[in-house]
Amino acid sequence: MSKQFTLEEVAKHNQPGDLWVVIDSVVYDLSRFADLHPGGPNVLFVDAVAGQDATQVFFGLHRLEVLQRPQYKRLAIGTVHGQKSLLQPPPPGHISRVPYAEATWLVPGYSSPYYSANHRKFQAAVRTFFEEVVRPAAIESEDNGKKIPQDVVDKMAEVNLIAMRLGPGKHLHGRKLMNGLVEPEEFDYFHELIINTELARFGGRGFVDGILAGAVIGLPPVLNFGSPELKARVVPEVFGGKKYLALAITEAFAGSDVGGIQTTAVRDGDFWVVTGTKKWITNGHFADYFTTICKTESGFTVVLVERDDTVSTKAIKTSYSSTAGTAYVIFNKTRVPVSNTLGEVGNGMKVILSNFNHERWMVTCTALAAQRVVVEECMKWSSQRIVFGKPLNSQPVIRAKLAKMIGLVEAGQSWLESITHNMCNMSYAEMSDKLAGPIALMKQFVSRGGQEIGNDATQVFGGRALTVSGMGKVIENYHRTSAFDAILAGAEDVMADLGVRQAMKRMPQTARL
Ligand code: HEM
């Protein structure tokens, strides 16, 4: 591509069979491609395009990534003499310079009391890892609905990313985290927040769950309530990416009202016999283990069910990608060793509830990261889209929408960081006591805001936000799937109610106006 042309030379190639255009200083020969062009050949032969610098019109219709696809890269034949490319894709690990595209602590010139030098190094390494190793798989899996590829899982396991996703704790001790970048004892909830943020930046909500969210929510009961033998066997398999695990609570009969579940576990000697169904089980379609709550003679009991011929899973078609492995699970008299019991018999609710705060906090982290990407997309689109002869962002109504989106994301981020700071400084018991309400309220605030952001972003992008590919594909995906954040880990309205009821419990008896 060392050949250089003048604009005058390019201009001579302006008809069917001999068609050149300039995009961002690069000269493309579209002579043979014109008939194959997904937008049709005719649009390429208009005077403002054929033989001309079509940069502005091109970016009104295509994402930068189109030019990076190998089949289109080949169309480049040289550059325009004296011009330089201004629109290269950013290198992996890059911090966006688009205002509000990054949390403030990452923006040069701003400071934050929450993040140490180690968090900063960690963020840079995790972003680079996710962009280099995970992004291509994320985009492909979101599209084709297949499970996250095993080689990506293996690479995540190598740097202990699966283990780190469960947050700080003893399970990290003795492990080399991110090639030794952070000491296991040093790893805190801000490190985990960083991981959650980075993995949700690819514009695919199904993949956010497909990237082993099942283990993040289903393994803690094993870690905290399983026998030493069970842990010694299962935990290394899951952290090593060799086996998959899902949390099986909800049923067609019971969602937020967990008490209504109908799956039973009946004792038969050294076994539980588990019978029943579970619905909406994230990663369930490919899981080897199911952390399952069952009705037992006395109350509820949680057991770790291992997949065998008596366990069948059916993929449920949801409005997000089936890469999440969402499943309907059927246990048909499945025999589970009593040694797989997690926690006390009859006290299963405690085991399940112990997990909810962390799960809700995690959903908030990933939801906010996705919303920030939506803000970035809208900021870019509204400045590059020319409408009525002016950039879209010259319209006050568009700026008002941007203001609302930015406000929601920044408010959510500040709340999240404040809660995360408290998580770092509280014992587990204090967290359960003091943070269940705030985390529930924060989650409902962020998920509700997310749905508003999805609606506003759709208006900003117009029809482009309604197609799964092309300019508005990130917005389409977010808008279609934002309700997942409002349902998973606790329905939005239930969260709001829980948060306020917790606050009411703390009202001083003597409080009067
Ligand atoms: C290197 C040159 C080009 C390549 C490789 C290319 C490729 C593509 C591709 C892959 C699409 C499908 C949509 C997408 O994936 O974003 C598309 C759509 C389209 N292209 Fe191009 N294109 C080129 C140049 C142009 C130019 C110069 C124009 C100027 C008018 C143009 C007009 C369109 C239109 C109108 C569509 C349909 C957009 C839509 O459905 O919203 N293309 N092009």
Side-chain angles (χ1 to χ4, degrees):
M1 255 237 322
S2 52
K3 260 194 142 176
Q4 296 213 328
F5 304 96
T6 61
L7 286 173
E8 291 71 32
E9 279 174 277
V10 175
K12 291 180 197 149
H13 305 270
N14 62 354
Q15 49 199 294
D18 180 18
L19 178 71
W20 294 7
V21 296
V22 175
I23 301 166
D24 184 32
S25 80
V26 177
V27 181
Y28 293 88
D29 182 348
L30 308 185
S31 308
R32 279 195 283 172
F33 168 71
D35 282 339
L36 306 171
H37 178 229
N42 298 346
V43 293
L44 303 173
F45 296 120
V46 298
D47 287 349
V49 173
Q52 300 301 308
D53 187 330
T55 306
Q56 185 173 310
V57 67
F58 181 88
F59 286 106
L61 297 158
H62 314 73
R63 298 180 70 90
L64 182 55
E65 70 209 26
V66 166
L67 295 177
Q68 305 310 313
R69 295 182 198 153
Q71 70 268 38
Y72 301 140
K73 260 187 170 175
R74 282 203 298 266
L75 302 172
I77 53 166
T79 53
V80 175
H81 183 71
Q83 286 192 4
K84 255 185 155 171
S85 165
L86 299 173
L87 304 170
Q88 286 305 307
H94 168 85
I95 297 291
S96 173
R97 287 170 51 228
V98 173
Y100 301 105
E102 303 280 0
T104 313
W105 72 281
L106 289 171
V107 181
Y110 292 83
S111 62
S112 161
Y114 299 126
Y115 299 90
S116 64
N118 186 266
H119 290 125
R120 291 180 184 278
K121 269 203 284 187
F122 187 74
Q123 186 278 335
V126 172
R127 178 166 296 187
T128 306
F129 178 91
F130 272 109
E131 286 181 356
E132 284 179 340
V133 177
V134 183
R135 179 189 278 275
I139 293 167
E140 213 174 301
S141 301
E142 183 72 20
D143 230 31
N144 65 23
K146 292 193 182 149
K147 181 181 105 26
I148 174 175
Q150 188 61 39
D151 64 314
V152 174
V153 175
D154 292 342
K155 285 184 188 143
M156 285 171 59
E158 252 168 50
V159 292
N160 275 307
L161 259 168
I162 305 175
M164 284 188 276
R165 290 204 59 202
L166 269 78
K170 286 206 189 97
H171 61 280
L172 297 182
H173 291 186
R175 292 181 177 274
K176 206 168 173 192
L177 309 182
M178 219 58 211
N179 300 316
L181 206 84
V182 47
E183 292 302 322
E185 294 73 14
E186 214 185 330
F187 186 93
D188 64 15
Y189 287 108
F190 278 103
H191 290 99
E192 195 193 348
L193 183 155
I194 289 167
I195 296 172
N196 289 331
T197 302
E198 296 303 329
L199 67 84
R201 290 174 45 86
F202 307 130
R205 180 64 182 83
F207 187 78
V208 170
D209 285 349
I211 187 167
L212 310 184
V216 181
I217 57 181
L219 193 61
V222 179
L223 276 175
N224 299 327
F225 299 96
S227 70
E229 298 72 35
L230 188 71
K231 281 195 272 193
R233 180 163 62 89
V234 173
V235 174
E237 288 174 338
V238 176
F239 285 170
K242 303 297 172 219
K243 291 264 172 99
Y244 298 105
L245 190 144
L247 180 66
I249 303 181
T250 44
E251 298 182 0
F253 308 100
S256 297
D257 53 340
V258 176
I261 61 153
Q262 294 192 9
T263 297
T264 54
V266 178
R267 263 305 274 271
D268 178 17
D270 288 341
F271 289 87
W272 291 108
V273 180
V274 177
T275 308
T277 57
K278 296 285 172 183
K279 192 173 176 182
W280 302 291
I281 305 308
T282 303
N283 298 177
H285 199 43
F286 54 79
D288 303 289
Y289 295 115
F290 300 85
T291 298
T292 310
I293 189 162
C294 308
K295 233 165 45 176
T296 44
E297 211 174 4
S298 57
F300 296 97
T301 303
V302 180
V303 295
L304 185 72
V305 179
E306 307 190 23
R307 193 190 275 267
D308 65 15
D309 308 348
T310 63
V311 178
S312 56
T313 53
K314 286 194 275 187
I316 301 177
K317 216 164 180 208
T318 65
S319 44
Y320 74 13
S321 169
S322 54
T323 188
T326 312
Y328 190 80
V329 183
I330 303 171
F331 302 116
N332 186 11
K333 301 199 187 105
T334 305
R335 294 179 74 79
V336 179
V338 167
S339 53
N340 281 24
T341 309
L342 305 175
E344 285 168 35
V345 173
N347 216 355
M349 271 317 167
K350 180 180 156 205
V351 176
I352 295 303
L353 289 175
S354 71
N355 215 10
F356 272 148
N357 284 339
H358 183 259
E359 182 182 355
R360 289 169 187 160
W361 171 84
M362 176 187 81
V363 171
T364 309
C365 296
T366 52
L368 268 174
Q371 289 168 19
R372 216 175 254 292
V373 174
V374 169
V375 168
E376 179 174 15
E377 295 273 310
C378 289
M379 291 289 285
K380 286 181 178 167
W381 176 244
S382 62
S383 72
Q384 80 192 56
R385 163 83 167 129
I386 306 297
V387 60
F388 304 122
K390 289 189 281 194
L392 190 56
N393 61 12
S394 63
Q395 308 291 343
V397 67
I398 297 296
R399 295 199 297 271
K401 286 193 189 308
L402 291 171
K404 187 171 131 206
M405 289 187 223
I406 292 166
L408 285 167
V409 172
E410 291 299 324
Q413 180 86 29
S414 297
W415 200 353
L416 175 66
E417 288 176 347
S418 158
I419 284 184
T420 307
H421 172 72
N422 279 292
M423 287 165 67
C424 293
N425 289 286
M426 282 184 185
S427 67
Y428 181 77
E430 283 173 315
M431 271 195 250
S432 308
D433 177 43
K434 295 196 168 64
L435 294 183
I439 288 177
L441 286 173
M442 170 178 74
K443 180 180 177 287
Q444 73 86 33
F445 173 79
V446 168
S447 66
R448 178 103 302 272
Q451 295 191 63
E452 291 180 31
I453 288 172
N455 285 339
D456 281 342
T458 300
Q459 292 305 315
V460 171
F461 270 74
R464 286 174 174 82
L466 304 178
T467 58
V468 287
S469 61
M471 297 303 281
K473 66 177 188 176
V474 172
I475 308 303
E476 188 281 333
N477 190 296
Y478 186 77
H479 190 216
R480 170 166 43 89
T481 62
S482 60
F484 281 78
D485 296 330
I487 303 293
L488 271 48
E492 194 169 277
D493 296 322
V494 177
M495 292 298 91
D497 188 56
L498 169 71
V500 175
R501 277 190 291 109
Q502 293 268 328
M504 283 160 60
K505 268 202 253 168
R506 288 172 191 274
M507 279 296 285
Q509 296 267 313
T510 52
R512 296 287 183 279
L513 284 175

